[in-house]
Amino acid sequence: MVVGFCVGEISLTELTFISDKMPQVGEYVTVDYDGKKVLGMVENLVRGNDALNIDLHDVDAIQTIARIGGNDYYIKGKVKLLGDVNDNLRLPRTPALPGTPIKLADKEILNEVFQVKNPIRLGTLVNQSDIEVNVEGNPILNRHLAILAMTGAGKSNTVAVLMDQLLSYSVPIFVFDMHGEYRDADFPNGDVNVIQPKINPVYMSIQEIRRLVSIPNSAVIQERFFRRAFNKAQSMVSGATAHTSNFLQLIVDILTKEADFDEEGNVGANVDKRIVDVINKVEDAMDKYGNLFDNNKGNILTGIKIGQVNVLDLSQTDESVAEVLVSHILRNALQRRKNYFHGGSDKTLDHPVFFVIEEAHILAPNKRDSQSKHWIQRVAREGRKFGLGLCLVSQSPKTVDHDALSQMNNMIILRLVEPEDQRHVQSASESLSKDLINQLPSLNVGEAIVLGLMSKVPTLVKIDEFKGRRTGGDLDIIGDLADFNKAEEEEIRRQERESLDLGYDY
Ligand SMILES: Nc1ncnc2c1ncn2[C@@H]1O[C@H](COP(=O)(O)OP(=O)(O)O)[C@@H](O)[C@H]1O
Ligand SMILES: [Mg+2]
């Protein structure tokens, strides 16, 4: 079906058309010329009327013209050209001629476009529910993915759909579950393996422990005491029994010995008093983070199960602990994958991992430095060489680290209204055009712009509704309160009955 005709100057990447029909934004069209069949996407539509142009200022005149010629409108649209269907979707070298007809793309062509290797089904086209949208698996795992949208737009649903599809390829998935949404989830294609947020301090880096012991960068003397004790403790515990020693207690013991206390508890004559601060801080941390530390635990990565959704439940931990866990796990994963490929140590991780990080703006904030951000950036940059994939999820894209975001070579962007968020996302993704950005506020729940290496063309997708079960959708507050009131009334009536049985009278 012809939907319009090219007009004006036509480039190799974009054309303008005039039409008397109303195509839809996001719809695919084809332009036939010079033996080519060039696929494009309608990105922008306006309606105008030559008789009612912007220079008219007389309200009476406008009403008169509208009465007699109000239906003489035209539709002007912009098409982003995506490539020649007959030539592997490469962009043509010559532009179309003005006057060339624009047709809606045939179903066969679209089915071909969404037929990919190792397909991950995300949903259907927003404008054509009979066309299935599949994206390619490997580019997601290799080149990372960002899922961005305002709250309630459908990020977690998308994550669940994606994870379930990846399970069908036995991908080991590791979710940092900030809200406890996935620990009780049910996936049609695989099991959930809940991993406890516990670390054996013996496997922590000095920076990770320091974050919890809260020795500030400016406290140079404290830092030096701590560093020396940490290094000494490490050299003492290396070997087979490392993972059963109480590493933090060992640090305290080393510091206590060094403090050389006399009988009144004063530090020795030649020792700086600030060593006491360090001892207190380590002991405080042992108290405060008692739930996090587990001196009998092996490395947390050894708990990952292949072909399952491995869920690290962070809903009960505070932010500083979440940061330490993320940094600890990503650092170890990268190190162990390097060892696996290059040898040098038997501490290896023998399989790839796909990490899902919700609340990415907290764990990789744009303005502040943090350990977790550092390791998210490292995995974003280097992970591809070692089979470590990242999926960053956020409802506040503008506060997600720009560096990390621009390493996400795939994006699923659902409804996103705030201009600042839109600008930040656009600057991190070259394939997101201004016209597509403009569509973001008008998307409905579950509708997304999908782009990047996983897809041959940018796509407007209605994401499938997740078939399994997950928690964390909106609460039914009114319903819950009604139940609550009913239960109260029941209870009052029960008490009344009891009282009557006992012979009291009201
Ligand atoms: N693709 C979809 N199809 C149908 N319902 C959806 C879809 N995406 C989201 N929803 C519904 O919208 C609500 C919010 O979705 P959710 O994924 O929790 O949003 P977010 O994580 O972005 O805050 C949920 O109740 C969910 O069931
Ligand atoms: Mg969510």
Side-chain angles (χ1 to χ4, degrees):
M1 184 174 78
V2 174
V3 288
F5 297 89
C6 306
V7 293
E9 292 185 331
I10 297 161
S11 78
L12 294 174
T13 56
E14 209 177 72
L15 65 80
T16 305
F17 67 89
I18 295 287
S19 169
D20 53 2
K21 300 184 187 63
M22 192 53 119
Q24 285 173 299
V25 170
E27 250 180 330
Y28 292 103
V29 294
T30 48
V31 199
D32 293 346
Y33 65 95
D34 300 350
K36 302 186 238 294
K37 192 182 236 356
V38 179
L39 186 71
M41 185 195 234
V42 178
E43 282 200 342
N44 189 3
L45 285 174
V46 293
R47 196 144 49 159
N49 184 330
D50 287 324
L52 285 165
N53 64 55
I54 195 83
D55 296 324
L56 276 179
H57 297 131
D58 181 339
V59 173
D60 289 337
I62 293 172
Q63 284 176 313
T64 312
I65 299 171
R67 216 166 27 242
I68 46 181
N71 287 329
D72 291 343
Y73 64 85
Y74 59 82
I75 286 156
K76 184 153 80 179
K78 207 147 92 187
V79 168
K80 184 184 167 68
L81 297 172
L82 304 168
D84 186 353
V85 176
N86 301 329
D87 187 22
N88 260 327
L89 287 178
R90 265 193 283 271
L91 278 174
R93 287 168 189 279
T94 52
L97 270 177
T100 311
I102 316 261
K103 295 183 200 148
L104 280 186
D106 294 337
K107 239 174 104 168
E108 296 77 58
I109 291 176
L110 295 179
N111 281 329
E112 171 96 29
V113 167
F114 297 114
Q115 208 157 59
V116 294
K117 221 164 72 185
N118 306 319
I120 302 283
R121 182 190 150 116
L122 290 182
T124 57
L125 287 180
V126 166
N127 297 313
Q128 271 169 284
S129 55
D130 56 338
I131 309 272
E132 189 180 325
V133 176
N134 298 300
V135 293
E136 207 179 324
N138 272 326
I140 298 180
L141 302 174
N142 279 325
R143 296 302 208 83
H144 316 305
L145 167 68
I147 299 179
L148 308 170
M150 57 193 292
T151 302
K155 292 179 299 297
S156 298
N157 180 76
T158 306
V159 170
V161 167
L162 172 75
M163 291 199 293
D164 194 48
Q165 289 283 302
L166 290 173
L167 284 178
S168 66
Y169 295 102
S170 294
V171 174
I173 302 168
F174 192 107
V175 191
F176 294 94
D177 188 9
M178 299 291 277
H179 301 298
E181 281 180 273
Y182 301 105
R183 67 177 170 212
D184 300 319
D186 252 341
F187 290 88
N189 287 323
D191 289 334
V192 168
N193 173 41
V194 176
I195 293 183
Q196 292 307 319
K198 289 193 177 296
I199 321 182
N200 188 336
V202 88
Y203 296 113
M204 293 172 80
S205 72
I206 184 161
Q207 288 87 354
E208 286 161 16
I209 296 186
R210 246 187 62 189
R211 173 81 171 86
L212 300 179
V213 172
S214 52
I215 295 172
N217 280 331
S218 53
V220 191
I221 307 283
Q222 289 186 19
E223 210 274 334
R224 199 163 65 220
F225 276 124
F226 180 72
R227 180 178 296 274
R228 278 214 306 256
F230 176 90
N231 288 339
K232 190 157 176 203
Q234 265 212 331
S235 67
M236 286 167 75
V237 297
S238 62
T241 55
H243 65 278
T244 53
S245 53
N246 187 338
F247 190 66
L248 293 179
Q249 187 58 49
L250 189 55
I251 292 181
V252 169
D253 293 345
I254 290 167
L255 287 165
T256 307
K257 192 155 170 231
E258 195 175 343
D260 196 18
F261 291 111
D262 64 16
E263 270 132 51
E264 273 117 55
N266 298 313
V267 292
N270 297 318
V271 187
D272 192 306
K273 286 195 175 48
R274 278 168 277 190
I275 194 168
V276 181
D277 297 334
V278 182
I279 294 173
N280 288 341
K281 281 183 176 176
V282 177
E283 283 181 339
D284 281 351
M286 287 167 73
D287 258 7
K288 185 168 171 201
Y289 301 114
N291 284 335
L292 170 68
F293 299 132
D294 181 346
N295 299 318
N296 294 308
K297 210 169 148 58
N299 193 283
I300 197 164
L301 293 173
T302 53
I304 296 180
K305 295 200 172 134
I306 295 175
Q308 301 197 6
V309 178
N310 298 274
V311 176
L312 185 72
D313 182 4
L314 295 175
S315 59
Q316 309 294 323
T317 51
D318 59 53
E319 256 171 51
S320 53
V321 174
E323 266 180 34
V324 166
L325 278 160
V326 170
S327 119
H328 180 79
I329 289 165
L330 294 183
R331 177 177 65 83
N332 273 278
L334 197 57
Q335 191 56 56
R336 281 165 186 255
R337 285 300 279 169
K338 283 183 181 173
N339 292 344
Y340 175 74
F341 280 101
H342 301 322
S345 163
D346 54 357
K347 290 180 182 152
T348 59
L349 178 63
D350 300 356
H351 55 78
V353 186
F354 186 63
F355 290 103
V356 177
I357 302 184
E358 289 239 8
E359 307 285 351
H361 52 283
I362 294 175
L363 296 162
N366 200 19
K367 293 255 161 69
R368 187 169 56 83
D369 273 332
S370 75
Q371 283 292 306
S372 52
K373 165 163 137 176
H374 175 77
W375 288 101
I376 287 172
Q377 288 175 336
R378 288 283 298 271
V379 172
R381 278 198 300 269
E382 302 170 41
R384 144 167 98 104
K385 288 176 276 178
F386 304 107
L388 298 179
L390 270 185
C391 173
L392 298 183
V393 186
S394 173
Q395 72 266 30
S396 178
K398 67 166 186 276
T399 52
V400 178
D401 178 56
H402 193 269
D403 230 35
L405 205 54
S406 52
Q407 295 291 331
M408 302 297 113
N409 287 290
N410 299 288
M411 291 205 173
I412 298 179
I413 312 165
L414 301 105
R415 184 172 158 87
L416 196 58
V417 169
E418 228 214 289
E420 189 97 11
D421 280 331
Q422 297 173 359
R423 270 196 294 278
H424 195 70
V425 176
Q426 196 189 5
S427 73
S429 161
E430 63 237 29
S431 46
L432 189 58
S433 69
K434 189 87 196 98
D435 284 309
L436 274 184
I437 287 271
N438 288 337
Q439 303 310 317
L440 290 174
S442 58
L443 295 176
N444 295 309
V445 171
E447 292 179 357
I449 291 174
V450 168
L451 31 92
L453 299 170
M454 63 182 173
S455 172
K456 290 179 202 160
V457 294
T459 313
L460 216 55
V461 185
K462 166 78 177 70
I463 306 279
D464 285 333
E465 188 167 10
F466 178 52
K467 299 266 176 3
R469 182 171 58 87
R470 67 173 178 99
T471 50
D474 288 342
L475 299 177
D476 179 12
I477 297 174
I478 304 240
D480 288 350
L481 286 174
D483 289 348
F484 180 77
N485 286 336
K486 213 153 76 204
E488 285 230 304
E489 280 163 23
E490 285 286 305
E491 176 62 17
I492 289 169
R493 270 198 296 278
R494 193 186 62 77
Q495 285 178 6
E496 280 172 5
R497 274 197 307 275
E498 261 180 19
S499 308
L500 285 173
D501 287 348
L502 289 172
Y504 294 110
D505 206 354
Y506 282 91

